[in-house]
Amino acid sequence: MTAEPPSHTALVRRARRIDRELALLYPDAHTELNFATPLELLVATILSAQTTDKRVNMVTPILFSRYPTAADYAAADRDELEKIIQSTGFYHAKTNSLIGLGGALCERFGGEVPPRLRDLVTLPGVGRKTANVVLGNAFGIPGITVDTHFGRLARRFGWTTSDDPEKVEADVATLIPRRDWTALSHRVIWHGRRVCHARRPACGACGLARLCPSYGEGPTDPVVAAKLVKPGPFS
Ligand code: SF4
C-alpha cells in the first residue's frame, strides 16, 4: 500500500513551519549583492548569472561609479565596459545586456527602473528571477526568487515537484503568504548555500532535520555533516 500524499493544508502547515525555522536560523538573511539604487541592483543581478555574489561585489564599486545612470550604460564604450566586468564571466553577453538595458530604460521608462514585473521582464538580460530580486529588494514588492538553490530546496521540502522555475514560483506562492515571499527567498537561498548543498547536503547538521521530508539525502552523522557546512559569508 502506498502512502497518501499530504493534503494541501498539511503542505501549507509544514511549509510555514519550515519558513519559521529558517527565520530563526537566518534572522539576518538578505541579498548578498551590494547596491544602493534599483538600477545598481538590476545591473548587479544581471552580472551575477553564472558567478558568485562575491565576484560581482568586487567589480561593482568601479562599475557603479563609472556608469551611474541608465544613459551611461546606453552610451558605454563596449571595450571599456567588457574590461570592467570581465571577471564575472560571459562578459560579451553581459555587456550586450547592460548596453541594451540602458537603451531600453532610456527609451521606454525615462531612464528609471520600472517597479512592475511585466515591464521588468521586457528588458534585455532580465528574466523573472532577476525581476523578482529587484522588486523584492529595491522596491519592497514581494517576490519569490527561484534560483538554483531555491528550486532544489523547494523540491526537497516537498513544496513542488517541478524543475520549471515559473511553476516552482507558482507552487510556493500557494503555500507561503505573499508578504513573506522576499524574506523566504533569502532564507531558502542562504540555507542552500550553507547547509543544503546540491551534492551531499549536511542533513546531520541541519536545523530543519525534523521537518524536512528529504532528511537523509545527505550524511546524517553529525560529525560528518558538520564538516560539510559552509559558514559564509558569500559576499
Ligand atoms: S534535512 Fe537535509 S535535505 Fe533537508 S533541508 Fe536539511 S540538509 Fe537539506
Side-chain angles (χ1 to χ4, degrees):
M1 208 170 76
T2 48
E4 289 279 316
S7 67
H8 186 72
T9 310
L11 282 175
V12 167
R13 201 173 298 136
R14 188 176 66 197
R16 293 181 187 189
R17 284 179 70 195
I18 287 177
D19 186 36
R20 281 200 297 276
E21 199 65 41
L22 285 170
L24 294 174
L25 291 170
Y26 308 111
D28 187 34
H30 56 270
T31 177
E32 291 176 275
L33 293 168
N34 296 336
F35 71 98
T37 66
L39 179 64
E40 288 186 359
L41 181 57
L42 187 51
V43 167
T45 309
I46 289 171
L47 292 182
S48 72
Q50 311 291 333
T51 190
T52 61
D53 290 353
K54 191 173 184 173
R55 171 69 56 192
V56 173
N57 290 338
M58 284 159 79
V59 309
T60 47
I62 181 159
L63 183 71
F64 294 161
S65 69
R66 178 70 187 81
Y67 306 97
T69 69
D72 295 315
Y73 287 103
D77 176 85
R78 176 175 296 276
D79 290 343
E80 186 187 353
L81 182 51
E82 283 191 350
K83 211 167 285 169
I84 295 173
I85 67 168
Q86 190 167 18
S87 62
T88 68
F90 300 94
Y91 59 94
H92 292 308
K94 289 178 182 176
T95 297
N96 285 341
S97 292
L98 295 186
I99 293 174
L101 173 73
L105 289 176
C106 290
E107 281 160 27
R108 291 193 276 127
F109 300 104
E112 300 294 325
V113 176
R116 281 199 310 204
L117 184 73
R118 70 169 180 268
D119 293 330
L120 285 165
V121 294
T122 67
L123 297 166
V126 181
R128 280 184 82 87
K129 184 184 83 173
T130 297
N132 276 322
V133 168
V134 172
L135 287 177
N137 298 284
F139 293 111
I141 297 168
I144 297 172
T145 305
V146 184
D147 72 350
T148 176
H149 300 291
F150 194 100
R152 178 178 74 252
L153 269 66
R155 287 184 289 280
R156 285 179 176 165
F157 295 157
W159 294 354
T160 185
T161 53
S162 180
D163 285 324
D164 170 10
E166 227 172 291
K167 178 76 167 66
V168 174
E169 191 185 322
D171 287 344
V172 175
T174 69
L175 302 174
I176 300 288
R178 190 169 187 275
R179 64 172 182 275
D180 296 333
W181 289 354
T182 304
L184 169 83
S185 302
H186 292 313
R187 291 165 194 151
V188 170
I189 291 168
W190 275 43
H191 194 59
R193 285 180 170 161
R194 289 159 177 76
V195 178
C196 190
H197 312 299
R199 276 177 294 163
R200 305 198 85 208
C203 294
C206 177
L208 302 180
R210 73 200 158 78
L211 296 172
C212 177
S214 298
Y215 173 75
E217 198 160 319
T220 55
D221 181 280
V223 177
V224 176
K227 290 188 184 138
L228 298 173
V229 174
K230 295 181 189 158
F234 294 86
S235 57

